[in-house]
Amino acid sequence: MEKVSGIGGIFFRAKDPKALAKWYLDTLGVGGEGYEPWQQSAGPTVFSPFAQDTDYFGRPEQAWMINFRVDNMDAMVAQLNAAGIDVKRESHSYGHFGRLHDPEGNPIELWQPL
């Protein structure tokens, strides 16, 4: 069976696409100008549908959540906190996590695999 080789893009609606794209680039280093591809590091990617009634994403109308891998959770959280962004942290046997929201309220999860 032929399989896909990775995620080719993440597309979602935004109230102010240019401002939100700039926030992701300036805050998390994700994205580029226009459709310039973001080169990510190779590593694990979880693909997992959730139950329709999950509260894991936050707001009931929120249909998606993005999870970004990070190499150093402590450094990333310190950087985000210095920018005035609150990050809720937790750890599990499969990694360290940080949860935050972008300026439009979309949930973001950071993951440092163990």
Side-chain angles (χ1 to χ4, degrees), residues 50-56 60:
F50 278 68
Q52 181 68 35
D53 61 352
T54 186
D55 61 356
Y56 193 72

Side-chain angles (χ1 to χ4, degrees), residues 17 31-32 34 38 46 50-51 54 58-59 74 79 84 96 104 109:
W38 161 53
V46 176
F50 278 68
T54 186
R59 303 184 320 253
D74 292 334
Q79 174 181 300
H96 304 293
E104 293 195 6
E109 187 172 67

Side-chain angles (χ1 to χ4, degrees), residues 28-86:
L28 299 174
V30 175
E33 297 297 322
Y35 290 103
E36 180 183 329
W38 161 53
Q39 298 297 322
Q40 62 178 314
S41 301
T45 299
V46 176
F47 182 83
S48 180
F50 278 68
Q52 181 68 35
D53 61 352
T54 186
D55 61 356
Y56 193 72
F57 304 158
R59 303 184 320 253
E61 69 276 9
Q62 190 67 43
W64 64 276
M65 181 185 70
I66 192 160
N67 173 298
F68 292 113
R69 266 182 284 115
V70 299
D71 293 326
N72 185 325
M73 184 66 71
D74 292 334
M76 178 60 84
V77 169
Q79 174 181 300
L80 293 168
N81 288 165
I85 299 168
D86 183 43

